[in-house]
Amino acid sequence: MEPGRAAWLLLLLLLPALRAAAPGEFDPYRVLGVGRSSSQADIKKAYKRLAREWHPDKNKDPGAEDKFIQISKAYEILSNEEKRANFDRYGDAGESQGFSQQQHRQFHRFHDGFYFDESFFHFPFNSERRDTSDEKYLLHFSHYINEIVPDSFKKPYLIKITSDWCFSCIHIEPVWKEVAQELEALGAGIGVVHAGYERRLAHHLGAHSTPTLLGLINGKITFFHNAVVRENLRQFVENLLPGNLVEKITDKNYIRFLSDWRKDNKPHVLLFDHMPVVPLLYKLTAFAYRDYLSFGYVYVGLRGTEELSSQYNINVYTPTMMIFKEHIDRPADVVQAREMKKQLIDDFLSQNKFLMVARLTSQRLFQELCPVKKSHRQRKHCVVLLTGEGEKFAEAYEAFLTFAVANTKDTLKFVHIYSDRQPEFADALLMDEEKYHGRSAVVILERRNNAGKIAYKALEEAWQGSKEDNFILLDLLDQLRTDPGLLSSETVVADLNDELAPMFLIRWFYSTLDYISDCWDSLFHSNWREMMPLLSLLFSVLFILFGTVIVQAFSDSSDTRDAPPSGKEETTTKTEKNDASFSKESNSRIPKKGFVEVTELTDINYTSNLVRLRPGHMNVVLILSNSTKTPLLQKFALEVYTFTGSSSLHFSFLSLDKHREWLEYLLEFAQDAAPIPNQYDKHFLERDYTGYVLALNGHKKYFCLFKPHRSGDEGGTLGSCEDYNASQHVEARGKSSCSPGSRSIKNKLHKLSFWMERLLEGSLQRFYIPSWPTLD
């Protein structure tokens, strides 16, 4: 056997063992120290304990980071029932989720000595030979969700998605390494996602190719689309930051800027430097501390800052940072350094996050300034001035501020609150006593728990800022140092209102702008896979809209073809507006036209005006003869004129001389309402149906019937579509029911308008037919 063939056979024999041995080296149960029958609660408990112990920020062991990654990987497998089942069954969680970096390196070391040595294939992608500077930035899914996203509200992150066998990833590596080190030193966050091992996270970030660079700030992802060079990456991170973080300060606006501490309840920071643009370090710092401090920048080389520099005795050659609190004429703290470092700035700002006497404007601020005691030695007491706004309370506030500056201690915090803005808090402490109404009060309190329970003691008298008040307060604070039981009263206070929260409309406006910006960016830059749902929705809406218009157009044109206008078939009756009976009946309804359009129902338009009438539409048909045509049409127009405002009603007339047989067929379905003689009745052709009105519903195949008004009937209309007693309608044979000589023709349609009202109400009886007969 040839040596080469023998080597390949040996490789084929060892591959199953290699496949079984590699995952077996990483045992998530062993990493977390739990048994295979452990419950999810036990697994979670073990993970939390080990994560706290091996977190790289707390454990300085060189191997802590690798250990922490293994712990997170193990928990990700065992907390997912599907992955756990796969591991129990096959020794693998799928998608290489169970492999740690150490196993990956061990696997490569194994095949480096075998026939898969990369020197044999000449591929420069061995992870062991690659630059290991990215390892400390590696992210996994749970770490990203639980830590990176919340941290992005304090600093922006620049994240790279990479993978093996990626030529472009190797090409951008030198630039990435340089920019990552530089931005990290300035305060930005850096992250690396290996798409081969963190497919879930890469998919969550929307990265469908490698390399992909993106920014993360305030939980929002923004993709980088320019050339990967140092200047572009720095500018990309700087553009992620809000534009109003740092205000440019000159001689004209510095007094207004420093005086805004009353409005925004924050200390104000000024950086004096000779750079014409605001340094990125300062912008990143302003973003991190934006909830506590307001930032301004003074370009000392600019004309118009001389007064400002002279006012505070600034060395124009050395960067200087000043913090101003309640007094704008002098800084509360100053730091100077030839090269401002992030650590120096953080230490300086963290010690000056609050005013000397900060105003409690939210529950978060109350919890930070007056924390709950954790032990007897960590007691924190707050001295609260409950006061009002305006010049009336200015003197009391200034006296309290002077006292706070002179008695600053680590265990004491001096704060004030506007009673009218936080009434529930003030009422809980002062018990609504009359002596404090319209005056300031001072209360010493200690928070006992996060549920709002506090112990407190209020000064007996209102606070006026006199020397006597100062001595009383100072004496109480001295007693409190040795006797914590001095705070004898207890109560529960509700959470404070957030006074500085933006209005709903403002929040909605900014949210809308962010959404529009995201859509604009997605339209021009994002992957088309992400745009497909939006495009699909857009095209669906357009299809529905245009489809409806087209269908409506064809429907209208079809109706027009079915009902061609004919001068011989249309009769228009115009009525006089000064007619007394017409004005009384039409005052509640405004018609569309000044006349009633009544069309003769013939065999030509019968299909369009009745058989194919659109759903919801009805045709009101008057029965007349040649001799009664003119007077009946005039009276019919008067009675139905007020109902022409409804587009669902159509008005027609039918000639009894031409279509008696069609009418007789329909009236057979009315039964008692219209007794019809048989064909052997000698008076069959003499029966008079003039004045009958039929409301025909062509779609649902039913009609309602109006019978002419009888001369001797004075109560309600008998011409309604109801179930009448047959005896009231049966007439002796040989006599005409409505002879023209017995009453005027126009009286036949008396009270037709009342019948129309009931027709629109839907309270008339309906007579259904199987199908519409032909009109010959």
Side-chain angles (χ1 to χ4, degrees):
M1 183 179 298
E2 299 178 0
R5 183 176 299 179
W8 280 109
L9 287 176
L10 180 59
L11 170 63
L12 294 175
L13 292 174
L14 288 178
L15 276 178
L18 175 63
R19 194 175 292 117
E25 294 179 5
F26 180 79
D27 186 354
Y29 294 102
R30 178 175 55 80
V31 172
L32 295 182
V34 297
R36 290 184 175 269
S37 60
S38 300
S39 64
Q40 285 294 335
D42 294 336
I43 293 173
K44 188 174 183 179
K45 183 177 180 180
Y47 166 72
K48 287 186 176 181
R49 175 176 55 81
L50 292 173
R52 284 195 298 267
E53 178 183 354
W54 289 98
H55 196 284
D57 293 342
K58 298 181 180 180
N59 194 319
K60 301 306 179 182
D61 189 297
E65 187 173 355
D66 287 342
K67 181 66 175 178
F68 182 76
I69 293 176
Q70 288 189 5
I71 293 170
S72 300
K73 290 286 188 181
Y75 178 69
E76 188 174 355
I77 293 173
L78 299 184
S79 62
N80 187 302
E81 294 296 339
E82 182 180 354
K83 293 181 179 181
R84 183 178 180 181
N86 288 337
F87 183 85
D88 292 341
R89 187 178 295 111
Y90 307 112
D92 186 10
E95 295 185 1
S96 302
Q97 294 292 332
F99 282 89
S100 67
Q101 293 178 347
Q102 183 179 0
Q103 288 176 292
H104 188 70
R105 290 194 293 267
Q106 290 175 348
F107 179 79
H108 276 282
R109 279 199 294 268
F110 177 84
H111 69 65
D112 278 350
F114 205 64
Y115 279 90
F116 289 108
D117 189 353
E118 290 170 358
S119 61
F120 180 82
F121 291 102
H122 303 287
F123 285 124
F125 295 103
N126 189 297
S127 61
E128 187 72 18
R129 298 176 185 173
R130 211 171 42 186
D131 189 1
T132 59
S133 60
D134 284 347
E135 291 187 359
K136 65 177 181 178
Y137 304 127
L138 287 176
L139 304 177
H140 54 275
F141 188 81
S142 59
H143 180 219
Y144 172 82
I145 296 296
N146 298 326
E147 297 186 27
I148 301 301
V149 172
D151 198 41
S152 68
F153 288 85
K154 298 179 181 178
K155 62 182 179 181
Y157 273 82
L158 181 64
I159 300 175
K160 177 183 70 172
I161 291 87
T162 185
S163 65
D164 289 333
W165 309 92
C166 173
F167 288 96
S168 300
C169 299
I170 299 175
H171 179 72
I172 68 172
E173 196 70 29
V175 178
W176 166 261
K177 181 178 179 180
E178 177 187 1
V179 174
Q181 293 176 353
E182 180 182 358
L183 292 178
E184 186 180 26
L186 297 177
I190 304 297
V192 176
V193 178
H194 197 294
Y197 301 104
E198 290 293 344
R199 297 182 185 179
R200 181 184 179 188
L201 179 54
H203 180 73
H204 175 79
L205 296 175
H208 303 292
S209 62
T210 55
T212 296
L213 299 178
L214 56 90
L216 174 70
I217 188 169
N218 293 331
K220 174 187 173 182
I221 295 173
T222 303
F223 286 87
F224 176 79
H225 300 290
N226 296 326
V228 182
V229 295
R230 176 181 175 275
E231 292 75 14
N232 289 346
L233 289 174
R234 278 180 55 93
Q235 190 62 43
F236 173 69
V237 172
E238 189 167 353
N239 291 339
L240 294 176
L241 299 170
N244 58 350
L245 285 173
V246 182
E247 184 177 353
K248 295 290 185 67
I249 303 300
T250 63
D251 293 340
K252 297 181 179 180
N253 62 354
Y254 81 95
I255 295 180
R256 189 268 309 160
F257 173 75
L258 298 179
S259 300
D260 281 347
W261 68 268
R262 295 183 183 274
K263 181 174 64 176
D264 53 28
N265 195 38
K266 298 177 182 178
H268 284 60
V269 185
L270 283 181
L271 175 65
F272 297 82
D273 203 347
H274 58 275
M275 299 293 294
V277 295
V278 181
L280 180 57
L281 171 62
Y282 196 52
K283 289 185 177 181
L284 292 171
T285 303
F287 180 76
Y289 290 91
R290 69 189 186 282
D291 292 336
Y292 302 97
L293 303 164
S294 294
F295 291 82
Y297 180 75
V298 181
Y299 173 34
V300 294
L302 180 67
R303 179 178 299 178
T305 61
E306 296 85 356
E307 177 186 344
L308 183 57
S309 301
S310 176
Q311 172 74 19
Y312 301 112
N313 194 22
I314 300 300
N315 183 354
V316 296
Y317 301 102
T318 304
T320 304
M321 185 175 289
M322 292 183 174
I323 288 186
F324 295 83
K325 296 185 179 180
E326 285 87 348
H327 301 104
I328 66 173
D329 56 336
R330 61 182 184 276
D333 205 352
V334 181
V335 63
Q336 285 185 338
R338 291 191 175 276
E339 187 176 359
M340 286 286 185
K341 296 290 186 180
K342 179 180 181 301
Q343 188 62 46
L344 175 64
I345 296 178
D346 287 343
D347 294 341
F348 177 70
L349 297 180
S350 60
Q351 297 174 8
N352 295 279
K353 293 197 301 183
F354 305 104
L355 296 170
M356 297 302 299
V357 182
R359 180 160 64 92
L360 297 182
T361 57
S362 66
Q363 184 65 18
R364 178 190 62 83
L365 192 59
F366 181 41
Q367 292 173 351
E368 288 197 55
L369 290 171
C370 306
V372 177
K373 67 171 186 177
K374 297 182 180 179
S375 65
H376 179 71
R377 295 182 177 180
Q378 294 181 340
R379 288 184 180 274
K380 299 287 186 180
H381 298 96
C382 272
V383 185
V384 184
L385 172 68
L386 295 102
T387 185
E389 301 181 69
E391 294 296 329
K392 177 182 177 181
F393 303 92
E395 185 178 352
Y397 169 77
E398 291 295 337
F400 186 77
L401 175 61
T402 303
F403 182 90
V405 173
N407 294 274
T408 302
K409 297 179 182 178
D410 292 338
T411 58
L412 286 178
K413 287 293 184 181
F414 292 87
V415 296
H416 73 285
I417 193 169
Y418 289 154
S419 301
D420 56 342
R421 297 196 184 187
Q422 306 289 347
E424 295 181 3
F425 187 89
D427 292 344
L429 295 177
L430 302 181
M431 305 300 292
D432 200 21
E433 295 189 20
E434 289 292 336
K435 61 183 178 182
Y436 297 119
H437 282 182
R439 307 173 72 182
S440 301
V442 173
V443 177
I444 306 172
L445 63 84
E446 177 186 352
R447 292 181 62 226
R448 293 295 173 84
N449 58 32
N450 291 321
K453 183 179 180 181
I454 63 171
Y456 71 99
K457 181 176 180 57
L459 268 65
E460 296 294 336
E461 299 297 331
W463 173 268
Q464 298 178 353
S466 63
K467 291 184 178 180
E468 183 180 356
D469 291 340
N470 280 266
F471 287 137
I472 293 174
L473 180 56
L474 185 60
D475 183 57
L476 286 176
L477 294 177
D478 289 339
Q479 294 180 42
L480 184 63
R481 197 184 321 167
T482 57
D483 182 18
L486 182 67
L487 307 182
S488 55
S489 301
E490 289 189 350
T491 187
V492 176
V493 295
D495 289 350
L496 297 178
N497 303 322
D498 192 350
E499 300 177 15
L500 302 180
M503 298 175 58
F504 169 76
L505 290 178
I506 296 177
R507 296 199 304 268
W508 179 85
F509 176 74
Y510 283 116
S511 298
T512 303
L513 287 181
D514 290 340
Y515 180 76
I516 294 175
S517 176
D518 292 342
C519 293
W520 182 267
D521 183 71
S522 299
L523 182 63
F524 289 97
H525 298 294
S526 290
N527 192 288
W528 282 104
R529 299 183 191 178
E530 301 175 3
M531 291 296 298
M532 284 306 296
L534 180 61
L535 293 175
S536 177
L537 176 62
L538 179 61
F539 281 113
S540 299
V541 172
L542 293 176
F543 177 79
I544 293 173
L545 290 177
F546 283 105
T548 304
V549 172
I550 293 173
V551 170
Q552 185 68 29
F554 276 105
S555 176
D556 293 343
S557 63
S558 176
D559 292 345
T560 304
R561 288 195 302 270
D562 290 341
S566 174
K568 298 180 180 180
E569 299 170 2
E570 295 184 358
T571 301
T572 302
T573 305
K574 297 187 178 180
T575 61
E576 297 292 335
K577 292 187 178 180
N578 58 356
D579 190 276
S581 61
F582 163 74
S583 60
K584 180 185 295 185
E585 298 172 359
S586 63
N587 57 359
S588 61
R589 191 184 301 269
I590 301 177
K592 289 184 176 180
K593 313 172 186 177
F595 60 92
V596 181
E597 185 177 347
V598 185
T599 305
E600 183 179 1
L601 195 64
T602 65
D603 56 343
I604 297 176
N605 60 10
Y606 176 70
T607 300
S608 60
N609 286 4
L610 177 62
V611 179
R612 294 184 181 177
L613 206 61
R614 284 180 290 183
H617 289 238
M618 299 189 72
N619 197 338
V620 181
V621 181
L622 169 67
I623 308 299
L624 49 76
S625 62
N626 291 335
S627 60
T628 61
K629 181 176 181 180
T630 301
L632 280 181
L633 279 177
Q634 291 177 351
K635 181 61 176 178
F636 181 72
L638 287 173
E639 293 289 329
V640 302
Y641 178 75
T642 56
F643 302 94
T644 56
S646 174
S647 60
S648 61
L649 292 179
H650 309 272
F651 301 97
S652 305
F653 70 89
L654 183 77
S655 175
L656 187 63
D657 301 326
K658 300 178 183 179
H659 305 293
R660 173 181 289 270
E661 184 177 351
W662 180 88
L663 178 63
E664 296 279 3
Y665 174 80
L666 248 64
L667 294 180
E668 288 181 3
F669 293 93
Q671 299 179 355
D672 295 339
I676 307 301
N678 57 44
Q679 61 181 343
Y680 300 105
D681 189 350
K682 62 181 180 180
H683 302 288
F684 171 70
L685 297 178
E686 299 177 5
R687 185 169 295 277
D688 184 17
Y689 294 109
T690 57
Y692 278 58
V693 178
L694 288 79
L696 309 174
N697 189 314
H699 180 71
K700 292 188 176 181
K701 297 184 179 65
Y702 71 81
F703 66 92
C704 294
L705 176 65
F706 172 85
K707 291 186 63 180
H709 177 70
R710 295 177 181 275
S711 60
D713 186 15
E714 297 179 358
T717 178
L718 295 177
S720 61
C721 190
E722 298 178 350
D723 191 10
Y724 295 98
N725 190 337
S727 64
Q728 293 178 341
H729 303 281
V730 178
E731 300 177 357
R733 294 182 179 180
K735 295 182 179 181
S736 175
S737 63
C738 294
S739 61
S742 62
R743 63 182 181 273
S744 65
I745 295 177
K746 289 187 177 182
N747 284 342
K748 287 188 174 186
L749 300 180
H750 181 58
K751 294 187 177 181
L752 175 63
S753 60
F754 295 101
W755 181 82
M756 291 291 297
E757 290 282 357
R758 298 186 61 190
L759 174 67
L760 295 180
E761 293 173 359
S763 59
L764 295 178
Q765 182 181 358
R766 300 175 179 180
F767 302 107
Y768 288 87
I769 63 173
S771 62
W772 294 108
T774 57
L775 189 68
D776 297 328

